[in-house]
């Protein structure tokens, strides 16, 4: 028997690498955002957009008018960008707001993880859902049409690249919007209302102001109009008379990057105590 104080020790634990830490956040965030709202919005996008592409291509094939411009059907109305807005609202509203509300963001940033990794992982998870809804439905439709022999391979490849390019651009912008507004509140509900309300208000407001004033630059304030313009321009169709496709793409990309940087700045204002 001894009266010496007991000695306690612990084995050294190996810390996960930077990439694995980021992927861990991405996986967790993807599962958290797979709620009924996100899944329902994605399913609605698949059903509506894919159906429109298939029906238009089948009709054009029967009439002998099938061209690359035939496959621009999803961009001929504001339905496609509004469906993406629903997905962005559902998948992105709680991205930063939930962590701010329950203070788990403090635990994230107090660990050996870089701020850019944390925000980047959130952006990847949110952007994945948006990209699935943006590019998934038309790409699926093109694949089906190609397998059925309705669309020639050359047109199918061009269309697939176009859908992917427009989908990535939409993902960059809407992810930036979702993260920036989610960073402004600790209530996901408020963030969701903000995401949907701001984009929809810009769409309606820009159209009204442009009609009243006749200003040529006001339509560039509408993200929905810009996305439609880019989509029509990529497929060689008649672009919207209000906006230029190349300028619209630049505005969306720059706005998405700036909004993403703003979200990172907001996250950097959280006070944490490092380990």
């Amino acid at each position: 028997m001894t009266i010496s104080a007991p000695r306690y020790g612990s084995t050294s634990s190996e810390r996960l690498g930077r990439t694995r830490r980021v992927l861990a956040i991405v996986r967790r965030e993807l599962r958290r955002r797979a709620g009924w709202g996100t899944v329902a919005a994605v399913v609605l996008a698949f059903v509506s957009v894919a159906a429109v592409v298939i029906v238009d291509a089948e009709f054009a094939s029967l009439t002998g008018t099938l061209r690359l411009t035939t496959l621009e059907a999803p961009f001929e109305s504001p339905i496609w960008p509004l469906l993406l807005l629903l997905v962005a609202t559902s998948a992105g509203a709680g991205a930063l707001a939930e962590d701010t509300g329950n203070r788990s963001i403090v635990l994230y940033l107090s660990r050996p993880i870089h701020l850019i990794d944390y925000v980047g992982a959130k952006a990847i998870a949110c952007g994945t859902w948006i990209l699935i809804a943006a590019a998934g439905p038309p790409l699926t439709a093109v694949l089906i049409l190609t397998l059925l022999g309705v669309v020639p391979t050359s047109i199918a490849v061009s269309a697939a690249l176009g859908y992917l390019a427009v989908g990535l651009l939409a993902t960059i912008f809407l992810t930036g919007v979702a993260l920036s507004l989610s960073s402004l509140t600790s209530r996901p509900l408020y963030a969701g209302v903000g995401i949907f309300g701001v984009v929809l208000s810009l769409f309606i407001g820009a159209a009204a102001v442009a009609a009243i004033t006749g200003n040529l630059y006001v339509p560039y304030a509408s993200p929905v109009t810009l996305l439609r313009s880019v989509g029509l321009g990529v497929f060689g169709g008649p672009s919207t008379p209000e906006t230029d496709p190349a300028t619209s793409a630049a505005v969306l990309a720059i706005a998405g990057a700036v909004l993403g940087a703003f979200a990172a700045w907001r996250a950097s204002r959280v006070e944490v105590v490092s380990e």
Side-chain angles (χ1 to χ4, degrees):
M1 182 175 180
T2 178
I3 61 173
S4 300
R7 296 181 179 180
Y8 298 98
S10 61
T11 59
S12 59
S13 59
E14 180 183 359
R15 287 181 173 177
L16 297 177
R18 185 176 182 180
T19 302
R20 294 180 64 185
R21 292 198 298 267
V22 172
L23 291 178
I25 298 176
V26 171
R27 287 193 297 269
R28 180 175 184 273
E29 194 67 13
L30 284 173
R31 289 193 297 267
R32 289 175 68 186
R33 303 305 154 209
W36 67 267
T38 303
V39 174
V42 171
V43 170
L44 181 60
F46 264 88
V47 172
S48 58
V49 174
V52 167
V53 174
I54 292 174
V55 170
D56 278 18
E58 287 281 3
F59 179 78
S61 177
L62 292 175
T63 58
T65 59
L66 181 63
R67 303 288 188 275
L68 179 61
T69 53
T70 304
L71 301 177
E72 69 183 15
F75 313 119
E76 292 177 349
S77 75
I79 299 301
W80 176 75
L82 290 177
L83 287 174
L84 298 188
L85 180 57
L86 286 175
V87 177
T89 301
S90 181
L96 299 177
E98 282 187 8
D99 289 351
T100 302
N102 59 30
R103 299 302 293 169
S104 62
I105 188 173
V106 176
L107 298 177
Y108 275 117
L109 300 181
S110 65
R111 302 288 176 178
I113 184 171
H114 299 278
L115 173 67
I116 190 64
D117 293 343
Y118 169 76
V119 178
K122 294 285 185 174
I124 291 172
C126 178
T128 298
W129 282 111
I130 298 174
L131 183 60
I132 290 173
L139 287 176
T140 302
V142 167
L143 178 60
I144 294 173
L145 291 169
T146 304
L147 294 175
L148 293 176
V150 177
V151 176
T153 304
S154 58
I155 294 180
V157 171
S158 299
L161 293 176
Y163 288 137
L164 186 59
V166 178
L168 286 172
L169 188 62
T171 299
I172 292 171
F173 175 75
L174 290 175
T175 299
V177 172
L179 290 184
S180 62
L181 292 177
S182 183
S183 70
L184 292 176
T185 179
S186 60
R187 301 286 185 88
L189 177 61
Y190 295 167
V193 172
I195 295 168
F196 194 85
V198 166
V199 176
L200 190 61
S201 297
L202 287 174
F203 173 51
I204 298 174
V209 173
I212 294 172
T213 64
N215 190 298
L216 299 177
Y217 299 102
V218 172
Y220 287 99
S222 169
V224 175
T225 301
L226 297 181
L227 285 173
R228 291 178 60 204
S229 176
V230 173
L232 294 173
V234 166
F235 281 79
S239 60
T240 55
E242 304 91 351
T243 54
D244 172 69
T247 306
S248 300
V251 171
L252 288 170
I254 293 172
V258 170
L259 291 171
F262 174 78
W265 176 79
R266 285 285 302 171
S268 70
R269 308 303 296 173
V270 177
E271 295 183 1
V272 299
V273 178
S274 301
E275 287 186 336

